[in-house]
Structure formats: C-alpha cells, structure tokens
C-alpha cells in the first residue's frame, strides 16, 4: 500500500499565470514564495491548473508557456510530481462579453496538444478538463442542457487522452475531474467518458468530512467510479474560511476538518489526496500567510504529516462517532490518529476532541527502546513526576544532540543556542535554515512552557496534591489530559524539526 504522505499534495492554481494581469516577474515572485511554503510540507504532488490566455502568445504567434515552464521546472527540481489539469474557463479571455464558443473550443484543443508535446518525457500526470460536467463557468459559460455539450466535453477529454498516448509515453492520465455527482456527470459516464485512463478523480468538498463515508450519493458515486477499474483520486477538497459554498468555518474548524478529510480519504483508498489550495491569491482556502509562516491549518498539517511521514493506514479501531486509526511503517513504532465528531470524551486511554491528534501505539508492537515514547502519566507521587520529568529532559537534550551531530556531519559549526546568525550555514538553502531556526525557537518556547507548569505547582515540591488548583489526588483525568496536551505540543515540534532535516537529506544529498 501507498503511504499517506506519498499521496498528499496541494493545488497551486491562480491568477498569477494570466499575462494580461501580472508581469512575469510578479508571477515569479509570487510563485517562488508559494512554492517555498509548499516545500516545507512532507508531500509528494503539486497540481498546477492551466487555461487558455488571449495574451499567452509570442510576437511570432507561437505559444508563450514561460510561466508554465517555470512552474513545472521548479516543482520537479524540488522532487514534486506534477498533476496538470486544463480549465475551460473565460479567465484568460480579454473580451468576455462576446465569446465565440466554437472558435475557442478549437483553440483549446490546439493548446492542449501543444502542451503535451512540449512536456514530453517530464512524467506529467495530465488530468481531464476541470469540473467540465458542471457546465456554466467551468465549461466556458455553457449550460448542460442536452447531448451537444456533453458530446463536446467527451470529445475534448478523448483528444486530450489521445495526445498523451501519441506524444508522451512517460505521462499518466487522470480522467473524470468531476466536481460532484451533478447534472452532467452520470450522463457523461453513461456515454463512455470513463472508458480510458489510469485514474479517475473528483472533488469531495464536504460540509462534514465524515459524511462522505456512508452518505448515499457519495457511496453510489464512489462505487460507480471504482467499477471502471481505475484508482480513485481526490484532486481538490478543502474548507473555506470564514465561509465558502460548502459551509462556514473558523480557522480552528478549517484545520480540524481538513486533517479529518485527509485521513478519511486515505482510509477509503484514494491514491491522490490534493488539498485546495496553496495559491496565495486565494485567501479563503490557503494554508500559508504572507510572512513565511503557516496559518493554523498549515501548522496542523505540517506537524502531523511530518510525524506520519512514510506511514501507511493499517486499520480503524473504533466505530460510531469516534475515529481511532492505526498507521504502520516498517521498522518503526505504529502510530494512532484519533478524533471524534461528537462531544469531547475518553475512549480508553485516548481523549478525543474534534481535532485529530497522534500518539505512539501502546500495544504489543510498541518498541520499548524508542526514545520518543510518550510521557508516562500513571504516577501517584511527586517523586515519580520528577523522575519522569528528568527523563523527558534527557529526551530533549538527545534531540538537540542529533541536530548538532547532523550539522557537524556536513562540516558546519554549531551552537546549543538558537541560530542567531545564518552566514556560517551558507552551504545550505537559506529557506531551510530559516525554517530550522523557526522550529528550534518554537521548541524552545514549548520546553519553557513545559518546565513552567511543573515548577509553578506547589504539589511538585512536597507532594501536596490538594494545593494544586482544581485538582486532588483522585481528580487525575483532567490533569492527565492537560499534561498530554503539553507533551503533544513538544513532541510535534520535535518531530517537525527532525522531519525537516530528513527532507533536506533526501532532497539535497540523494
């Protein structure tokens, strides 16, 4: 089976590709920034949407693909695989008041052929016309009113596929690209739209992620797609904030739902799980801010996916409103991902909220020598607490020693303090170093918080539990949950740091 992080990707479709609105330098600056943030995630795919532009030609009448060239080249240089759908929309047409549908239809076919020929040998995963069977905006403002439009959609997609077969044996074709099981979807399928291709995709923009598991229309649609023999791809999904067509969400709700749907899509066997979007022009859906940081959704995705890097879904251990998923990786301790769509509560030793959390599996397969084991919380006196705290301090020191050893291996000076000056590390990519500095600073802050919660409690010094506000010797449930929260924050930051180092090693030295 394929690991979750090998399936993960993001969209980067935006207005920056339009030469009538942005200069190439503007495009490049914005693309470079977005790509630098994408590169901080342990993901495998970038989906780059493209459309026809009236101004997308050189003076001699040939296509000017310099923006698409640059996007594909820079993505692949960083080790990402590229999914390339085509959008049949009017965004690149200068005069939108009098669009000649048939004329532009022919132009699109010619452009698609030129694109496939241009990128021969690049291993592109081409994807069918984006959400074409929805009609309207997604099919050059034409409504789905009868067979003629459906036939046009079928012909363009068929030509697209045939071009890939004729000109690029390194490519794959993702058919479908459906928005949902809407008015035009089933008629197009009935006419043979899904009789070819390597994968079939749709865009599960759910209001509640878990509803896609057993909602009648979703189950029927997935079964229809699976019965074609092609593997499933989710090439768009997400949750807008403060509101979008699939509901209203705070940043906290966006982060929670986004991660939950990633895990659900993985559990259901999707081969591509592509979030919408990390195109910085779309503030409703985007994961990053404009200051080289992630918003809450991006932070949660980064921390959890670094910890699950290379792990594969194994089994679901719960039922009803609780989701407890087990993930495995050869030679590594299993991980448990857990959340609930109900009210917060304990399920065994797991305290479930609506935001997914991750811990080491505490079953028979647990590796006793793993120095990143979760903190021990079954304690009855302050002496045991102090012993455990000292043990966890050793884990912290060991983690920093690994970082320092890594830097020494490649001939860099190091310091046990935060990296205040970056000049001595000029052999490495500066964005990596900024990320490393940020993560170490976050770890340092978390450590200080962790120390403070122990040192500021009187029961730590003398074992007087009743002096600890709100708790007694017998009221350990909330105390255990609070301590687990502090530990999870620290452990997540530590794993993000180690994951960044692993990513650098993989992409720089292989």
């Amino acid at each position: 089976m394929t690991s979750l992080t090998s399936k993960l990707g993001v969209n980067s479709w935006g207005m920056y590709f339009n030469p009538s609105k942005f200069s190439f330098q503007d495009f490049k600056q914005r693309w470079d920034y977005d790509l630098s943030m994408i590169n901080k995630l342990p993901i495998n795919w970038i989906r780059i949407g493209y459309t026809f532009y009236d101004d997308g030609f050189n003076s001699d009448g040939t296509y000017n693909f310099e923006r698409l060239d640059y996007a594909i080249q820079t993505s692949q240089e960083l080790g990402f695989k590229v999914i390339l759908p085509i959008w049949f929309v009017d965004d690149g047409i200068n005069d939108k008041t009098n669009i000649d549908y048939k004329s532009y239809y022919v132009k699109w076919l010619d452009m698609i052929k030129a694109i496939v020929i241009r990128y021969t040998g690049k291993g592109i995963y081409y994807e069918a016309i984006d959400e074409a069977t929805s009609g309207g905006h997604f099919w050059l403002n034409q409504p789905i009113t009868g067979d003629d439009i459906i036939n046009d959609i079928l012909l363009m997609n068929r030509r697209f596929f045939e071009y890939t077969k004729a000109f690029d044996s390194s490519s794959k074709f993702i058919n479908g690209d459906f928005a949902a099981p809407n008015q035009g979807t089933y008629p197009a399928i009935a006419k043979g739209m899904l009789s070819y291709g390597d994968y079939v995709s749709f865009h599960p923009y759910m209001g509640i992620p878990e509803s896609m598991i057993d909602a009648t229309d979703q189950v029927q649609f997935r079964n229809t797609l699976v019965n074609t023999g092609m593997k499933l791809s989710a090439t768009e999904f997400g949750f807008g904030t403060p509101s979008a067509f699939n509901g209203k969400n705070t940043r906290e709700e966006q982060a929670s739902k986004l991660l939950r749907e990633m895990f659900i899509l993985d559990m259901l066997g999707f081969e591509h799980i592509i979030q919408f979007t990390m195109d910085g022009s779309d503030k409703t859906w985007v994961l990053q801010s404009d200051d080289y940081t992630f918003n809450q959704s991006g932070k949660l995705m980064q921390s959890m996916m670094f910890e699950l890097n290379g792990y594969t879904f194994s089994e679901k251990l719960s039922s009803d409103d609780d989701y407890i998923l087990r993930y495995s990786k050869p030679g590594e301790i299993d991980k448990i991902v857990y959340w609930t769509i109900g009210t917060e509560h304990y399920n065994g030793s797991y305290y479930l909220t609506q935001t997914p959390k991750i811990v080491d599996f505490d079953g028979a397969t647990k590796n006793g020598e793993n120095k990143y084991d979760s903190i021990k919380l079954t304690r009855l006196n302050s002496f045991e607490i102090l012993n455990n705290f000292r043990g966890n301090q050793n884990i912290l020191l060991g983690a920093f020693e690994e970082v320092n050893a890594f830097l020494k291996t490649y001939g860099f000076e190091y310091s046990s303090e935060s990296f205040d000056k970056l000049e001595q590390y000029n052999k490495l990519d500066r964005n990596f170093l900024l990320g490393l500095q940020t993560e170490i600073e976050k770890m340092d802050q978390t450590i200080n918080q962790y120390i403070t919660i122990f040192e500021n409690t009187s029961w730590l010094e003398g074992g007087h539990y009743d002096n600890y506000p709100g708790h007694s010797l017998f009221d350990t449930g909330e105390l255990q949950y609070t301590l687990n929260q502090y530990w999870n924050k620290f452990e997540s930051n530590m794993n993000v740091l180690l994951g960044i180092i692993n990513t650098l090693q993989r992409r720089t030295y292989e």
Side-chain angles (χ1 to χ4, degrees):
M1 295 180 66
T2 308
S3 69
L4 172 55
T5 48
S6 294
K7 299 177 178 183
L8 287 180
V10 294
N11 279 266
S12 191
W13 150 266
M15 298 302 102
Y16 309 143
F17 282 88
N18 191 339
S20 67
K21 294 184 177 180
F22 295 92
S23 71
F24 180 77
Q25 288 305 313
D26 286 340
F27 156 79
K28 183 177 180 298
Q29 180 181 1
R30 294 168 188 266
W31 173 267
D32 286 347
Y33 174 75
D34 290 342
L35 186 60
S36 74
M37 297 301 294
I38 294 171
N39 196 37
K40 293 182 179 182
L41 298 173
I43 62 175
N44 200 30
W45 300 89
I46 297 181
R47 183 176 183 256
I48 305 171
Y50 199 73
T51 191
F52 181 90
Y53 296 100
D54 280 339
D55 294 333
F57 293 88
N58 298 310
S59 58
D60 62 358
T62 58
Y63 289 104
N64 184 336
F65 288 128
E66 64 176 349
R67 298 173 193 233
L68 188 56
D69 288 347
Y70 186 79
I72 292 174
Q73 177 185 338
T74 52
S75 297
Q76 292 187 331
E77 285 176 348
L78 291 174
F80 293 108
K81 297 179 180 179
V82 172
I83 297 174
L84 178 55
I86 299 297
W87 294 52
F88 194 50
V89 295
D90 66 6
D91 296 48
I93 297 176
N94 294 333
D95 183 5
K96 296 177 174 57
T97 61
N98 187 27
I99 297 175
D100 185 336
Y101 167 75
K102 293 186 179 298
S103 173
Y104 274 105
Y105 185 94
V106 174
K107 293 178 180 180
W108 246 270
L109 286 175
D110 186 72
M111 180 195 68
I112 291 170
K113 181 179 179 180
I115 286 174
V116 173
I117 293 173
R118 186 176 188 85
Y119 301 116
T120 297
K122 296 287 188 182
I124 305 293
Y125 281 59
Y126 291 102
E127 187 178 11
I129 311 303
D130 186 86
E131 300 190 356
T133 58
S134 299
H137 172 72
F138 293 97
W139 191 252
L140 207 60
N141 305 324
Q142 302 297 307
I144 305 293
T145 56
D147 286 348
D148 288 348
I149 294 297
I150 294 293
N151 290 337
D152 284 350
I153 294 171
L154 295 179
L155 176 60
M156 185 176 288
N157 276 324
R158 168 65 77 169
R159 290 277 184 88
F160 195 175
F161 170 72
E162 289 173 348
Y163 293 149
T164 66
K165 287 300 181 185
F167 301 113
D168 189 2
S169 60
S170 74
S171 68
K172 298 290 185 181
F173 192 79
I174 304 174
N175 207 339
D177 210 344
F178 300 118
N182 53 32
Q183 178 183 357
T185 301
Y186 283 113
I189 295 173
K191 284 177 168 285
M193 180 173 174
L194 300 184
S195 60
Y196 54 88
D198 301 289
Y199 303 86
V200 58
S201 65
F202 75 107
H203 305 159
Y205 285 100
M206 311 302 297
I208 303 296
E210 293 76 12
S211 63
M212 74 174 298
I213 296 175
D214 52 17
T216 302
D217 63 331
Q218 291 293 316
V219 173
Q220 179 183 352
F221 190 46
R222 279 202 311 277
N223 288 340
T224 299
L225 302 184
V226 169
N227 288 338
T228 65
M230 291 184 283
K231 298 178 180 179
L232 290 175
S233 298
T235 50
E236 287 183 30
F237 72 98
F239 301 88
T241 181
S243 65
F245 61 86
N246 60 335
K248 296 181 178 180
N249 298 285
T250 63
R251 280 295 182 193
E252 291 79 8
E253 291 168 334
Q254 181 190 50
S256 168
K257 291 179 180 179
L258 182 65
L259 268 293
R260 282 154 50 190
E261 184 152 345
M262 286 181 181
F263 292 122
I264 289 168
L265 291 168
D266 188 30
M267 182 176 69
L268 292 175
F270 282 73
E271 288 294 318
H272 303 112
I273 303 173
I274 315 297
Q275 178 268 350
F276 189 89
T277 178
M278 282 190 71
D279 157 30
S281 70
D282 200 334
K283 303 303 182 185
T284 300
W285 307 89
V286 76
L287 300 181
Q288 71 271 26
S289 303
D290 294 328
D291 58 354
Y292 290 93
T293 63
F294 287 109
N295 60 32
Q296 191 162 348
S297 296
K299 289 177 182 177
L300 184 62
M301 179 178 173
Q302 184 190 53
S303 63
M304 293 201 74
M305 293 311 161
F306 266 122
E307 190 159 354
L308 282 173
N309 195 12
Y311 276 80
T312 300
F313 171 74
S314 177
E315 60 180 328
K316 184 173 184 284
L317 302 175
S318 59
S319 58
D320 300 324
D321 289 346
D322 292 350
Y323 292 80
I324 302 178
L325 311 183
R326 182 173 176 175
Y327 275 80
S328 302
K329 181 179 180 180
E332 300 287 345
I333 187 172
D334 288 359
K335 301 285 185 180
I336 296 295
V337 175
Y338 57 98
W339 75 91
T340 184
I341 58 174
T343 57
E344 298 182 5
H345 64 278
Y346 275 100
N347 186 326
S349 61
Y350 305 115
Y351 190 83
L352 278 63
T353 70
Q354 292 195 3
T355 299
K357 297 182 180 64
I358 183 170
V359 296
D360 288 345
F361 181 57
D362 57 1
T365 62
K366 187 167 183 174
N367 178 3
E369 296 180 356
N370 177 27
K371 62 182 177 180
Y372 303 129
D373 279 353
S374 295
I375 190 171
K376 305 295 188 297
L377 292 173
T378 53
R379 52 173 74 95
L380 294 176
N381 58 63
S382 58
F383 179 73
E384 289 185 25
I385 293 174
L386 280 170
N387 284 341
N388 287 325
F389 178 52
R390 292 190 182 105
N392 290 318
Q393 281 184 312
N394 290 333
I395 293 175
L396 298 177
L397 293 174
F400 279 113
E401 288 173 1
E402 287 187 353
V403 174
N404 294 331
F406 165 75
L407 294 174
K408 273 188 171 181
T409 298
Y410 294 104
F412 307 120
E413 300 176 19
Y414 79 101
S415 169
S416 60
E417 300 177 355
S418 297
F419 298 109
D420 296 322
K421 297 181 179 179
L422 299 176
E423 289 80 7
Q424 58 185 314
Y425 306 111
N426 58 11
K427 297 178 185 178
L428 293 180
D429 176 74
R430 188 171 185 274
N431 287 333
F432 161 75
L433 292 167
L434 289 171
L436 184 61
Q437 182 184 19
T438 298
E439 294 307 324
I440 287 177
E441 289 171 350
K442 283 195 284 188
M443 184 189 292
D444 184 61
Q445 293 170 5
T446 305
I447 292 168
N448 289 333
Q449 291 173 348
Y450 188 69
I451 292 172
T452 300
I453 195 172
F454 281 95
E455 291 183 342
N456 287 351
T457 53
S458 59
W459 54 267
L460 177 63
E461 299 174 357
H464 303 297
Y465 288 87
D466 291 337
N467 290 337
Y468 181 51
H471 297 287
S472 69
L473 177 62
F474 305 103
D475 185 16
T476 60
E478 187 176 351
L479 172 61
Q480 178 172 330
Y481 172 57
T482 301
L483 291 174
N484 260 327
Q485 281 189 315
Y486 274 90
W487 179 253
N488 285 337
K489 288 179 182 179
F490 152 69
E491 193 173 40
S492 295
N493 283 333
M494 183 170 67
N495 282 307
V496 167
L497 174 61
L498 296 177
I500 288 175
I501 291 171
N502 289 334
T503 299
L504 176 80
Q505 289 174 306
R506 173 169 58 86
R507 291 186 177 164
T508 306
Y509 297 104
E510 281 188 352

